[in-house]
Amino acid sequence: MQQQQQNYPYTQAVKAAAAQHAHAISVVRAPAYSQGQKFKRAVSLSLSYAVMHPLDTLKTRMQVPGGSGIAWKAVFTRETVRLLGQGFLVSSIGAGLQGGARFSFYELTKSYLLPPTSRFQTGHNPPQHPWWLPTLSPIPATAISAIIGDLASSVIKVPREVVTSRMQTGYYIGAPNVPAGGINGGYVFRAVLRDEGVRGLFRGFWSTTARDCPFMVILFTTYENFKAYHTRNMVTQITSDPNYVASSPVEVKIPPMTSTLFGGISGFLAGYFTTPMDVIRTRIMTFKKAAGVKGATQEINMTNISREMYHQAVAQAMKSSGQSNVVFRSMRFGQSVYSAFFVGAIPRSMWWFCVCSIFFSTYEIMKQKLMPLDYEPTVKSSSVVAN
């Protein structure tokens, strides 16, 4: 028998795979919201925001000049170049904390909404499913989890964006009692508390929520579908191999370039379609800069800000179209409204393309490198396949 096994080296490979599989059964997969996962996602998001911060500054400054579309002369100035790095540390550090909170709640929620067999990659110890929670398919579970994760992270995200956007737009330039070292995150934070109280740190909360909930749904459902498509193709290729053993586990890893492309496309689409709410959010958070504009609304809310933007777009369209025919006026009207609500759409979409490319690829790489952090052995394997 021993001699027969030596004549078939593939038999030894099958036994080795079976031994690994037997050991894997004795190891319980920790939840996706474990400490290792939090760390990986926080680092990934922080790195993404740090690299792409100048483009975010450019996008923000494009959205505040006065609602007359893309005011290039007001954006590409020496002041813009000087402010490109403003809010860098606040944005990067806050993004890490926000990312950790977001994905912790995202994975936690998804682990309870998915069927028990889908909650863990391996192991047989899923959390007890409450009777009042429904069991959903992957797409609605991902969408709901993304919304809950984003709402939970808003406690960190909204104050971070208030401070960052005001630094990027020079909100406090010329303000009294500016420290000798210049305007920094600490000064802006204290100024907001002094002038507006704690409520000022959450200015634009609802517009941010209205922007980010659909953003997260588009981002994660698109990326998860890309991953599912890739996994199905790879599993088909692996199982169609003549040497494949049906009892051996199939593990599909996402290559860095593939996750970069999947994440980038998902981020681009999510960023583009949520630009109107991003414009409204920016103008609410930096309302002081637009307060001097003729006809500017004095009450800060989404309805009044969007109404003001619409009226400005209509006035601009009527002024530029003059006595033109109906078709031209309609085209001009649509273009003007689009320019008002989608100002900065391309920089924002490209920013999210780059951020999500960096984030998802970094996360997938770190997940593969730090995978042992997500496993906790519970029972040592008491036996292996006999020789």
Side-chain angles (χ1 to χ4, degrees):
M1 181 67 179
Q2 185 176 5
Q3 182 65 31
Q4 183 180 3
Q5 290 182 356
Q6 291 177 354
N7 292 335
Y8 296 95
Y10 181 67
T11 304
Q12 301 296 331
V14 172
K15 289 186 175 183
Q20 293 178 359
H21 183 57
H23 177 68
I25 294 177
S26 65
V27 178
V28 177
R29 174 69 166 157
Y33 48 90
S34 64
Q35 296 296 329
Q37 298 281 51
K38 292 179 186 177
F39 172 76
K40 285 177 273 186
R41 283 169 169 162
V43 170
S44 302
L45 196 62
S46 180
L47 175 64
S48 305
Y49 272 66
V51 173
M52 300 308 302
H53 182 75
L55 186 57
D56 180 61
T57 301
L58 181 63
K59 180 270 301 181
T60 301
R61 290 185 59 80
M62 291 176 68
Q63 294 177 343
V64 296
S68 58
I70 303 177
W72 298 104
K73 292 182 180 180
V75 173
F76 293 102
T77 62
R78 291 182 179 179
E79 183 182 6
T80 299
V81 175
R82 184 176 60 83
L83 293 174
L84 282 179
Q86 288 291 312
F88 175 81
L89 287 178
V90 175
S91 179
S92 302
I93 297 174
L97 299 174
Q98 150 193 341
R102 172 188 295 167
F103 290 107
S104 296
F105 281 90
Y106 168 76
E107 294 289 0
L108 177 63
T109 305
K110 192 169 70 170
S111 69
Y112 281 102
L113 293 179
L114 289 174
T117 55
S118 302
R119 295 175 196 164
F120 293 84
Q121 293 183 9
T122 62
H124 307 280
N125 189 27
Q128 185 177 359
H129 189 73
W131 64 268
W132 47 269
L133 275 180
T135 299
L136 304 175
S137 59
I139 293 180
T142 298
I144 294 175
S145 301
I147 292 174
I148 293 177
D150 187 75
L151 288 174
S153 68
S154 294
V155 178
I156 301 173
K157 175 178 58 182
V158 175
R160 177 190 69 81
E161 292 195 356
V162 169
V163 174
T164 303
S165 62
R166 295 192 180 188
M167 294 180 69
Q168 291 172 325
T169 57
Y171 189 93
Y172 289 104
I173 291 179
N177 302 322
V178 175
I183 298 174
N184 52 39
Y187 172 82
V188 174
F189 183 82
R190 292 191 299 271
V192 173
L193 288 178
R194 181 189 66 232
D195 300 337
E196 305 174 49
V198 176
R199 186 176 181 179
L201 292 174
F202 292 91
R203 180 196 282 194
F205 176 87
W206 293 114
S207 59
T208 302
T209 302
R211 175 200 67 180
D212 288 347
C213 285
F215 175 90
M216 297 301 292
V217 171
I218 297 172
L219 175 66
F220 280 99
T221 53
T222 304
Y223 184 74
E224 292 288 349
N225 276 281
F226 276 140
K227 284 182 64 176
Y229 174 78
H230 173 78
T231 301
R232 285 195 302 268
N233 286 344
M234 292 303 299
V235 169
T236 301
Q237 295 179 18
I238 293 173
T239 55
S240 61
D241 192 310
N243 295 327
Y244 170 72
V245 180
S247 61
S248 60
V250 178
E251 182 180 0
V252 177
K253 295 182 179 181
I254 308 295
M257 289 304 298
T258 302
S259 60
T260 298
L261 181 62
F262 290 169
I265 295 175
S266 302
F268 184 93
L269 294 174
Y272 182 83
F273 288 113
T274 56
T275 297
M277 291 310 305
D278 185 59
V279 176
I280 295 172
R281 174 210 66 95
T282 299
R283 297 194 178 188
I284 289 176
M285 289 184 175
T286 60
F287 184 72
K288 180 181 177 181
K289 296 295 292 183
V293 179
K294 184 178 180 179
T297 181
Q298 296 302 312
E299 186 176 355
I300 310 172
N301 58 52
M302 290 187 291
T303 302
N304 287 338
I305 293 292
S306 57
R307 184 184 294 118
E308 178 184 343
M309 291 170 56
Y310 177 80
H311 289 162
Q312 290 178 351
V314 171
Q316 181 68 23
M318 294 179 63
K319 180 180 179 181
S320 59
S321 60
Q323 301 298 323
S324 304
N325 57 54
V326 176
V327 176
F328 181 80
R329 285 201 303 269
S330 299
M331 294 175 59
R332 187 62 183 173
F333 171 77
Q335 180 185 1
S336 183
V337 173
Y338 171 84
S339 298
F341 284 91
F342 280 85
V343 60
I346 298 303
R348 169 174 163 79
S349 302
M350 292 304 301
W351 185 80
W352 275 113
F353 179 92
C354 298
V355 165
C356 292
S357 297
I358 297 171
F359 167 74
F360 283 110
S361 59
T362 303
Y363 170 69
E364 295 292 347
I365 292 173
M366 294 183 69
K367 184 171 71 173
Q368 295 174 15
K369 298 295 184 182
L370 303 179
M371 186 63 73
L373 292 177
D374 299 328
Y375 286 88
E376 295 180 2
T378 55
V379 179
K380 295 184 178 180
S381 179
S382 58
S383 63
V384 295
V385 177
N387 289 330

